[in-house]
Amino acid sequence: MRQRSKNVTEGPERAPHRAMLRATGLRDDDLKKPLVGVASSWNEVTPCNLHLDVDAKDVKAGVRTAGGTPIQFTTIAVSDAIAMGHEGMKASLVSREVIADSVELMVIAEAFDALVAIAGCDKSLPGMMLAIARLNVPAVFLYGGTIMPGKFDGRDVTIGDVYEAVGAHAKGRMTDDDLYRLECTACPGAGSCGGLFTANTMSSCVEALGMSLPGTASIPALDPRRPVVCRQTGEAVVRLLADGIRPRDILSREAFENAIAALVAMGGSTNGVLHLLAIAREAGVPLALADFDRISRRTPHIADLRPGGRYTMADLDRVGGVPVVLRELLDGGYLHGGALTVTGKTLADNLREARRAGGQDVVRPVRDPITPTGTLAVLSGSLAPDGAVIKTAGVHRLTFRGPARVFDREEDAFDAVVHNRLSRGDVVLIRHEGPKGGPGMREMLSVTGALFGQGLGEEIALVTDGRFSGASHGLVIGHVAPEAAHGGPIAVVRDGDIIKIDVPERRLDLELSAEEIQSRLRAWRPPQPRYRT
């Protein structure tokens, strides 16, 4: 159990190392036990991570109970909601890599035998999972939990409602006082954004992967059950260490297919696509964009969750959490029940007691789904030769044809929305916002929220080589590839060009001849980089 930590705790030549560890409060008995890193993205920047120091203390108690020596450390976490709509969002996706790198470096440098990774806000979840897959030391992931919904005029609200209210306010549909009241009530305390936005999407996917304890994906941040599940997580990682079970024993091809099925059955964020692809790559598991479309076509949509549905993550927890969704999918034949999990048991074993309760419609039975197919579609065509992604949860208009309104920056598009310079039937095209062109692949929640708040969520389409927040919904298509900075066709679209969207046929086309597109691309020159140092 101490294959790694013995390199810093055993032998006379390690006296200096032990001296440093003793200075942190460790004693002889502690140094004879496996060293377990307890990593969290705690900070005071965002409510998503505000309470993770408390969770970490409870995890440490569990590690000690099980016979390990816990050592806590932290990493960064960017608040996407605060970075949204300005230059700061260019740091968001990059922060995922910094989180992964920093946790990897700490575990290697300090010779930890095992790892518990605790995360709250959007990029900290996949960042931790990238590190877990990369390191392949026994590990368990623990989600910090959802925020509770706020209350506004008698209804539940989330941060997504505030972004949409900005558009409503700009349109004159909401007063200054009402916007202020909503701002002050939407986020009542600690926890990640309350709908099935990116953090709650990824917590659900990680549970479906088998890398967190059953039921922990939906437990709210300030729920009284949290100390117990935190301690259980600490105990579980020591058991994994004793049993020799490593993350790549769990992160199989079947596990990733389970995670995708959960993603599309619940109406999860399009960010789940790029994060699961990245985690699979670190785990050495072949996974492609086409797999998401294939699994979505055969998986029913059964969880009625915001932003495309009616309920929050706290509502899902109230009816049994992610295990209820997974049990429905398992019974319907949509999951690989034999996949191993961090409990040391299979997914099917973990779900043996899970049952969908009657008298609720948060989770529908697979025999009576919201829609018979899942909520992600991968499009391709003359505008996106290498693909693009749309979330269809709650979207009723799945075909669209209209003139392009071209913007080279998100801010310019947002300005056009709030100053009412767009028309119904337009296709807003935002480019040079991809991974290279942005750089950083910004999310477009400010734009999509404002459009929806103005009542234009399906009257104006949006296409971008950037990406979307999990709180975005409507006829919005992201991840267009190749991106503009790589000379994809999106780089040469002009105002007024006709764009055709056909989700059932999985098409995204620019209605120009192939010869005209190629002529424009030959004349195209890449813009100067926005950053030089």
Side-chain angles (χ1 to χ4, degrees):
M1 290 176 66
R2 298 173 58 232
Q3 290 183 356
R4 296 170 59 85
S5 64
K6 66 182 181 183
N7 292 315
V8 297
T9 60
E10 289 186 4
E13 68 279 9
R14 297 306 187 219
H17 306 65
R18 293 192 296 273
M20 293 292 288
L21 290 168
R22 290 179 192 280
T24 69
L26 300 189
R27 297 295 178 257
D28 286 344
D29 284 349
D30 301 315
L31 297 172
K32 294 174 183 176
K33 300 172 183 176
L35 302 185
V36 178
V38 178
S40 83
S41 54
W42 174 83
N43 62 37
E44 294 181 338
V45 171
T46 168
C48 314
N49 300 307
L50 192 61
H51 60 297
L52 299 188
D53 57 335
V54 177
D55 281 0
K57 291 176 182 176
D58 290 326
V59 168
K60 289 169 66 178
V63 171
R64 291 192 190 97
T65 298
T69 296
I71 299 178
Q72 183 178 349
F73 65 96
T74 60
T75 184
I76 68 163
V78 167
S79 170
D80 282 13
I82 297 173
M84 197 73 66
H86 60 91
E87 202 79 354
M89 180 47 70
K90 294 180 180 180
S92 171
L93 189 55
V94 177
S95 76
R96 183 189 76 176
E97 314 308 314
V98 175
I99 292 164
D101 291 349
S102 65
V103 173
E104 177 191 20
L105 292 173
M106 285 293 289
V107 172
I108 290 173
E110 306 309 319
F112 293 135
D113 298 296
L115 174 67
V116 174
I118 312 168
C121 198
D122 293 3
K123 303 310 169 294
S124 57
L125 282 81
M128 292 292 192
M129 283 302 302
L130 289 175
I132 285 171
R134 209 182 278 174
L135 288 160
N136 201 33
V137 301
V140 182
F141 176 82
L142 176 65
Y143 180 42
T146 182
I147 197 172
M148 295 300 291
K151 291 288 185 182
F152 179 75
D153 289 347
R155 62 185 174 92
D156 287 350
V157 291
T158 71
I159 190 67
D161 293 281
V162 187
Y163 275 97
E164 292 174 12
V166 171
H169 179 266
K171 196 76 170 178
R173 299 168 67 180
M174 189 175 222
T175 67
D176 290 346
D177 286 346
D178 283 346
L179 181 61
Y180 179 72
R181 284 196 303 115
L182 178 60
E183 170 192 332
C184 293
T185 58
C187 300
S192 299
C193 300
L196 193 66
F197 308 154
T198 302
N200 285 326
T201 293
M202 289 309 299
S203 73
S204 303
C205 287
V206 172
E207 185 169 324
L209 279 171
M211 284 304 304
S212 59
L213 293 183
T216 56
S218 65
I219 298 175
L222 300 182
D223 192 279
R225 292 169 290 169
R226 288 207 67 81
V228 173
V229 299
C230 290
R231 288 194 293 271
Q232 289 172 341
T233 298
E235 294 167 1
V237 78
V238 179
R239 284 197 303 271
L240 290 174
L241 182 59
D243 293 340
I245 298 175
R246 296 173 178 268
R248 293 184 198 174
D249 299 323
I250 297 169
L251 295 172
S252 62
R253 168 78 181 194
E254 291 75 18
F256 280 98
E257 292 194 346
N258 288 343
I260 296 170
L263 172 68
V264 301
M266 296 174 68
S269 169
T270 52
N271 284 320
V273 176
L274 58 89
H275 294 325
L276 287 173
L277 286 170
I279 297 165
R281 181 172 180 174
E282 294 293 351
V285 174
L287 197 67
L289 195 58
D291 292 316
F292 289 82
D293 195 71
R294 173 180 58 83
I295 294 170
S296 188
R297 285 178 184 269
R298 66 169 175 79
T299 305
H301 176 203
I302 61 172
D304 192 9
L305 299 173
R306 297 187 185 190
R310 294 175 292 166
Y311 295 106
T312 67
M313 197 66 168
D315 293 318
L316 177 63
D317 184 69
R318 174 175 50 80
V319 300
V322 173
V324 173
V325 177
L326 298 180
R327 179 60 189 263
E328 279 293 310
L329 294 176
L330 180 67
D331 288 349
Y334 300 103
L335 297 182
H336 302 283
L340 184 65
T341 74
V342 293
T343 65
K345 302 176 183 178
T346 67
L347 181 68
D349 289 335
N350 291 344
L351 297 175
R352 202 171 301 279
E353 302 300 320
R355 292 287 187 278
R356 178 188 171 274
Q360 57 83 26
D361 56 359
V362 180
V363 179
R364 301 269 287 270
V366 292
R367 66 181 181 277
D368 181 29
I370 298 166
T371 57
T373 58
T375 58
L376 285 178
V378 177
L379 314 183
S380 61
S382 60
L383 186 55
D386 292 343
V389 179
I390 182 173
K391 176 174 66 179
T392 60
V395 179
H396 303 289
R397 186 173 182 178
L398 296 176
T399 60
F400 198 97
R401 182 178 180 272
R405 293 292 306 275
V406 180
F407 301 92
D408 288 336
R409 296 169 65 248
E410 178 194 2
E411 290 89 342
D412 297 336
F414 179 74
D415 190 65
V417 174
V418 297
H419 289 98
N420 304 306
R421 294 200 297 268
L422 300 175
S423 301
R424 294 176 187 271
D426 284 346
V427 179
V428 174
L429 186 141
I430 307 175
R431 65 189 176 195
H432 298 294
E433 292 287 6
K436 179 181 178 181
M441 203 177 188
R442 286 196 285 186
E443 294 179 350
M444 305 287 159
L445 179 56
S446 292
V447 179
T448 62
L451 283 171
F452 217 90
Q454 292 188 353
L456 299 172
E458 295 190 23
E459 301 300 319
I460 292 177
L462 193 157
V463 176
T464 180
D465 55 5
R467 60 193 176 92
F468 297 112
S469 162
S472 291
H473 56 134
L475 195 57
V476 296
I477 299 167
H479 307 199
V480 170
E483 64 170 294
H486 281 298
I490 193 173
V492 296
V493 179
R494 298 172 183 167
D495 274 333
D497 287 345
I498 300 300
I499 293 173
K500 183 178 180 181
I501 300 163
D502 190 334
V503 177
E505 295 298 321
R506 300 304 200 257
R507 297 292 301 182
L508 177 60
D509 289 299
L510 180 60
E511 289 193 351
L512 296 173
S513 68
E515 292 76 16
E516 173 63 17
I517 293 173
Q518 288 304 313
S519 173
R520 292 186 187 184
L521 286 172
R522 284 193 294 271
W524 176 80
R525 297 293 179 271
Q528 291 296 313
R530 287 170 169 161
Y531 300 88
R532 295 181 178 275
T533 58

